[in-house]
Amino acid sequence: MSISLPKAFNEFDEARQKGFIDVKELKEKGKNIVGTYCVFTPWEIILAADAIPISLCAMSDEPIPEAEKHLPRNLCPLIKSSYGFAITDTCPYFYFSDLIVGETTCDGKKKMYEYMNDIKPVHVMQLPQTTIGDDSYNLWRNEMVVLKERIEKEFNVEITDENLKQAIKARNEERRMLKKFYELGTLCPPPITGLEILKVLYGATFKTDKNEQNQTIDNMIKSVMEEYNNGVRKVSEDAPRILITGCPTGGATEKVIQIIEENGGAVVCFENCTGVKGNDTLVNEDIDPIDALTDKYLNVACSCISPNDNRIELLDRLVDEYKVDGVVDIVLQACHTYNVETYRIKKFLNENKNIPYMSIETDYSKSDIGQLQTRISAFIEML
Amino acid sequence: MYSIGIDSGSVATKGIVFDGQIIEHIIIPTGWSPKNACEEVLLTLLDKTGIKKEHAFIVATGYGRVSIDFADKTLTEITCHAKGAHFLNNDVRTILDIGGQDSKVIKLDNNGNVVDFLMNDKCAAGTGRFLQVMINLLGSDIKDIDNLTKGAVPESINSMCTVFAESEVISMLANGSSKESVASGILHSIANRIVTLASKVGIEEDIMFTGGLAQSNELTNIISNKLKKKVYTSPLSQLNGAIGAAVIGLNKYKRLKSRM
């Protein structure tokens, strides 16, 4: 029996709300919960301790006014939102987390973690600023070990290499499934809309039962392809194909995807951390697990790493694989590294790939919807 | 075959009737209701030319385009400005447009298609609205801006934000600056803003300055001096968006007819 599409998609959409009950039940069963914010967090180490890693709420406008009582107004909305959820007890995952793991990916976040530590125990991993050189590698490798030791101590468990290897396998399996799903976007026309892709990718970060998630996605792919092969077309073949890059999207930034698709564009690929960035490369299953994790998590194509050539290489490949007509870079207000990088990305896309590019600086409010409408529809008219 | 282009901006609603040439045009204040203004523009144009609505293809643009329920097609002002400028002068490759509530720089190819553009985000800095607020403060009329600023030594206005600039101007006047030099300073401030935007997109010749403020020779000269390049304007530049809409409309209409 084929799963009806809207229901399956909505299930992911509702994952955050439903998660309240899931996570409460897990706590009642005695499970430890570790809250995370970023694609740099090695979830495998948490899983290896038989704890549950979960993404924390960070993409809504609601808690921002509360956060601004402590944090500057001119700060990235993702940081303000994360902190706001934390101090207002409105994120079930944060509420039930036994430990929060953060990384020094940017100045705003690392200073915010200092304040957050007053509310919950926060473990911050010191991320090197570059992938170049042995010092960076060794520093990051050591941070993996320190995290492992902290979790062992915190939860009174021992994490063996065997535990790590199993966790790596499980995470790779999840990545393969997500990849198989978002790669539906390579089809011309895509069998699903960009908003649907995003809902599943974003929703998956709030799911606790990954076996069930893999199964649901697998069924979803099957039923989508069945309909597609029967000639169902949700997206016009003429719709310009858009790749999204830049800061994390989901939650309130869905507005950009919505406007793109309402104006005739089709979002076929999410290069950012909600999508390809975290799932594109797997963790090597054949070498020492800590080395394998270090290697994987040092090479995330994030703008906080300098130089960030990995992002260029990734974009280069994705633009071809997804037959992209235009690239939209979403930059959250006050995210300096992504904002500065827009110049390089534009130059690369315009000059090396001959692809039109636009950068959108936005936040989680609705105040720029009118402007976005005009700018995005003009961009699509141009393609 | 006729097409009608209507550009409903925040200040004025413009319309033209087109059959390859501009047959008729009209500019009226948008007022509080873009919907009413657009209807009035359409009815007046039909009335003046004796063309029946069914015989024309209507393309609407500008921020008020969403309220036009009789349009056959709607497009953003960016696409329309590009086509309009190309119609007025097909050597144009860069358009500087300062509208009532936004400013934009558009780069086009030799067919008048948009290659790249940038638009101010969110605030009114450097727009027509900014000038209007400042000129009201000086007790002058926007129409007299050229007479007022001719030969004046510009004061330097530092604030980009309309509200802060207002305070700054009040302080300047209190400190004895002349109305003329403050007004000239305001024009320089607007020019700086559009020149910065332009340098981000990259300027290619020929350059055309459009939008309501393009009627000011002083502002045109200031921009031209800052860019160290010749800046072209047209007496029809306020109609530019409407012209573009009509040009696109006529092409579309012809394509549709040829398929029938």
Side-chain angles (χ1 to χ4, degrees), chain A residues 104-239:
Chain A
T104 54
T105 44
C106 73
D107 294 347
K109 266 192 189 170
K110 72 187 186 198
K111 298 310 285 180
M112 183 269 286
Y113 289 134
E114 293 175 24
Y115 292 159
M116 197 177 262
N117 196 38
D118 295 339
I119 315 168
K120 280 259 169 178
V122 177
H123 179 86
V124 178
M125 298 178 76
Q126 302 292 328
L127 183 71
Q129 309 209 0
T130 181
T131 55
I132 301 167
D134 291 345
D135 285 349
S136 292
Y137 184 88
N138 292 335
L139 185 142
W140 194 230
R141 191 183 191 284
N142 196 43
E143 286 298 302
M144 295 285 160
V145 175
V146 173
L147 174 69
K148 177 176 151 284
E149 287 167 357
R150 170 83 190 252
I151 288 176
E152 285 178 325
K153 193 171 153 239
E154 203 78 37
F155 301 145
N156 197 21
V157 290
E158 195 203 340
I159 300 174
T160 64
D161 275 9
E162 202 37 55
N163 299 145
L164 283 171
K165 282 186 171 173
Q166 271 176 18
I168 288 171
K169 274 209 173 80
R171 277 292 279 165
N172 278 348
E173 192 49 44
E174 189 197 343
R175 286 196 185 96
R176 274 191 210 101
M177 191 53 82
L178 284 169
K179 209 169 155 171
K180 195 170 151 195
F181 170 72
Y182 64 63
E183 280 178 348
L184 292 174
T186 57
L187 293 170
C188 251
I192 41 175
T193 70
L195 208 54
E196 287 168 339
I197 299 177
L198 181 63
K199 278 184 173 163
V200 172
L201 290 175
Y202 180 55
T205 63
F206 296 112
K207 288 244 182 190
T208 45
D209 188 337
K210 295 300 178 183
N211 288 331
E212 185 202 300
Q213 174 185 318
N214 287 345
Q215 196 53 55
T216 314
I217 294 179
D218 199 30
N219 290 340
M220 202 149 53
I221 295 169
K222 280 183 191 136
S223 62
V224 165
M225 283 316 295
E226 197 182 302
E227 290 200 11
Y228 190 74
N229 292 333
N230 287 333
V232 176
R233 293 291 178 269
K234 283 186 167 183
V235 181
S236 152
E237 202 168 337
D238 303 329

Side-chain angles (χ1 to χ4, degrees), chain B residues 71-178:
Chain B
D72 295 298
K73 190 174 174 60
T74 57
L75 284 166
T76 63
E77 51 271 37
I78 292 162
T79 304
C80 293
H81 272 291
K83 279 285 179 213
H86 182 73
F87 176 80
L88 293 173
N89 174 352
N90 53 30
D91 291 328
V92 169
R93 294 293 176 271
T94 306
I95 301 168
L96 314 176
D97 178 76
I98 304 183
Q101 55 184 7
D102 52 44
S103 48
K104 41 197 169 287
V105 177
I106 307 164
K107 234 161 115 169
L108 26 152
D109 66 13
N110 54 8
N111 295 316
N113 297 316
V114 179
V115 178
D116 201 1
F117 68 93
L118 258 188
M119 195 172 156
N120 66 321
D121 31 24
K122 291 178 194 160
C123 87
T127 65
R129 181 72 194 153
F130 177 83
L131 182 65
Q132 198 178 32
V133 169
M134 297 303 149
I135 292 297
N136 287 348
L137 199 65
L138 297 176
S140 291
D141 193 291
I142 211 157
K143 290 194 187 82
D144 300 327
I145 189 78
D146 278 1
N147 289 331
L148 187 64
T149 52
K150 196 159 246 160
V153 180
E155 284 283 355
S156 142
I157 313 266
N158 300 305
S159 305
M160 276 296 173
C161 167
T162 308
V163 177
F164 292 148
E166 200 171 348
S167 322
E168 195 179 346
V169 163
I170 290 170
S171 306
M172 270 177 193
L173 294 170
N175 287 329
S177 297
S178 76

Side-chain angles (χ1 to χ4, degrees), chain B:
Chain B
M1 257 180 222
Y2 299 100
S3 72
I4 292 176
I6 297 177
D7 176 8
S8 183
S10 64
V11 176
T13 296
K14 291 80 68 173
I16 74 153
V17 181
F18 187 76
D19 67 349
Q21 300 293 324
I22 300 169
I23 301 172
E24 190 61 70
H25 76 268
I26 182 175
I27 300 176
I28 64 165
T30 300
W32 62 272
S33 165
K35 190 171 158 58
N36 291 349
C38 292
E39 275 164 8
E40 190 186 329
V41 160
L42 178 71
L43 293 178
T44 315
L45 287 174
L46 294 175
D47 197 39
K48 277 185 165 179
T49 53
I51 296 165
K52 287 207 165 68
K53 187 167 163 266
E54 309 80 83
H55 297 145
F57 192 83
I58 303 167
V59 177
T61 185
Y63 100 112
R65 68 182 178 279
V66 288
S67 56
I68 305 178
D69 47 15
F70 52 78
D72 295 298
K73 190 174 174 60
T74 57
L75 284 166
T76 63
E77 51 271 37
I78 292 162
T79 304
C80 293
H81 272 291
K83 279 285 179 213
H86 182 73
F87 176 80
L88 293 173
N89 174 352
N90 53 30
D91 291 328
V92 169
R93 294 293 176 271
T94 306
I95 301 168
L96 314 176
D97 178 76
I98 304 183
Q101 55 184 7
D102 52 44
S103 48
K104 41 197 169 287
V105 177
I106 307 164
K107 234 161 115 169
L108 26 152
D109 66 13
N110 54 8
N111 295 316
N113 297 316
V114 179
V115 178
D116 201 1
F117 68 93
L118 258 188
M119 195 172 156
N120 66 321
D121 31 24
K122 291 178 194 160
C123 87
T127 65
R129 181 72 194 153
F130 177 83
L131 182 65
Q132 198 178 32
V133 169
M134 297 303 149
I135 292 297
N136 287 348
L137 199 65
L138 297 176
S140 291
D141 193 291
I142 211 157
K143 290 194 187 82
D144 300 327
I145 189 78
D146 278 1
N147 289 331
L148 187 64
T149 52
K150 196 159 246 160
V153 180
E155 284 283 355
S156 142
I157 313 266
N158 300 305
S159 305
M160 276 296 173
C161 167
T162 308
V163 177
F164 292 148
E166 200 171 348
S167 322
E168 195 179 346
V169 163
I170 290 170
S171 306
M172 270 177 193
L173 294 170
N175 287 329
S177 297
S178 76
K179 188 171 160 178
E180 289 75 15
S181 54
V182 170
S184 176
I186 291 162
L187 291 188
H188 275 82
S189 153
I190 293 171
N192 284 339
R193 186 85 186 172
I194 195 88
V195 166
T196 310
L197 205 61
S199 64
K200 283 200 170 203
V201 182
I203 296 244
E204 272 171 47
E205 287 172 88
D206 290 359
I207 304 158
M208 185 167 170
F209 179 28
T210 64
L213 295 197
Q215 291 164 73
S216 162
N217 292 328
E218 276 299 306
L219 182 57
T220 311
N221 289 337
I222 295 169
I223 293 172
S224 172
N225 286 337
K226 287 189 195 287
L227 290 173
K228 299 188 184 68
K229 285 184 195 305
K230 196 174 172 299
V231 172
Y232 168 85
T233 57
S234 158
L236 295 174
S237 78
Q238 211 188 348
L239 288 165
N240 196 33
I243 294 171
V247 170
I248 294 168
L250 192 66
N251 290 336
K252 181 100 189 157
Y253 196 32
K254 280 181 182 166
R255 266 208 308 277
L256 286 176
K257 285 277 171 193
S258 68
R259 276 187 209 162
M260 277 177 179

Side-chain angles (χ1 to χ4, degrees), chain A residues 166-346:
Chain A
Q166 271 176 18
I168 288 171
K169 274 209 173 80
R171 277 292 279 165
N172 278 348
E173 192 49 44
E174 189 197 343
R175 286 196 185 96
R176 274 191 210 101
M177 191 53 82
L178 284 169
K179 209 169 155 171
K180 195 170 151 195
F181 170 72
Y182 64 63
E183 280 178 348
L184 292 174
T186 57
L187 293 170
C188 251
I192 41 175
T193 70
L195 208 54
E196 287 168 339
I197 299 177
L198 181 63
K199 278 184 173 163
V200 172
L201 290 175
Y202 180 55
T205 63
F206 296 112
K207 288 244 182 190
T208 45
D209 188 337
K210 295 300 178 183
N211 288 331
E212 185 202 300
Q213 174 185 318
N214 287 345
Q215 196 53 55
T216 314
I217 294 179
D218 199 30
N219 290 340
M220 202 149 53
I221 295 169
K222 280 183 191 136
S223 62
V224 165
M225 283 316 295
E226 197 182 302
E227 290 200 11
Y228 190 74
N229 292 333
N230 287 333
V232 176
R233 293 291 178 269
K234 283 186 167 183
V235 181
S236 152
E237 202 168 337
D238 303 329
R241 301 165 63 83
I242 309 287
L243 177 144
I244 300 289
T245 181
C247 293
T249 40
T253 45
E254 257 182 38
K255 66 183 175 185
V256 178
I257 315 305
Q258 224 152 10
I259 296 173
I260 291 174
E261 301 206 316
E262 276 165 14
N263 284 287
V267 176
V268 293
C269 181
F270 292 88
E271 181 271 337
N272 50 22
C273 9
T274 330
V276 178
K277 201 165 273 179
N279 298 310
D280 187 57
T281 50
L282 303 178
V283 181
N284 191 336
E285 295 179 15
D286 303 323
I287 57 170
D288 170 68
I290 293 289
D291 278 326
L293 291 172
T294 308
D295 191 51
K296 155 78 185 172
Y297 288 102
L298 190 56
N299 286 296
V300 176
C302 178
S303 67
C304 70
I305 296 291
S306 174
N308 184 22
D309 298 340
N310 283 344
R311 186 175 176 204
I312 297 284
E313 282 163 27
L314 187 57
L315 281 171
D316 189 11
R317 180 157 60 79
L318 294 175
V319 162
D320 298 337
E321 274 177 17
Y322 287 80
K323 296 166 215 72
V324 167
D325 299 307
V327 170
V328 175
D329 199 350
I330 302 178
V331 177
L332 294 175
Q333 171 205 305
C335 179
H336 302 318
T337 52
Y338 270 107
N339 214 350
V340 173
E341 219 167 83
T342 57
Y343 175 68
R344 184 180 179 196
I345 301 296
K346 179 182 165 71

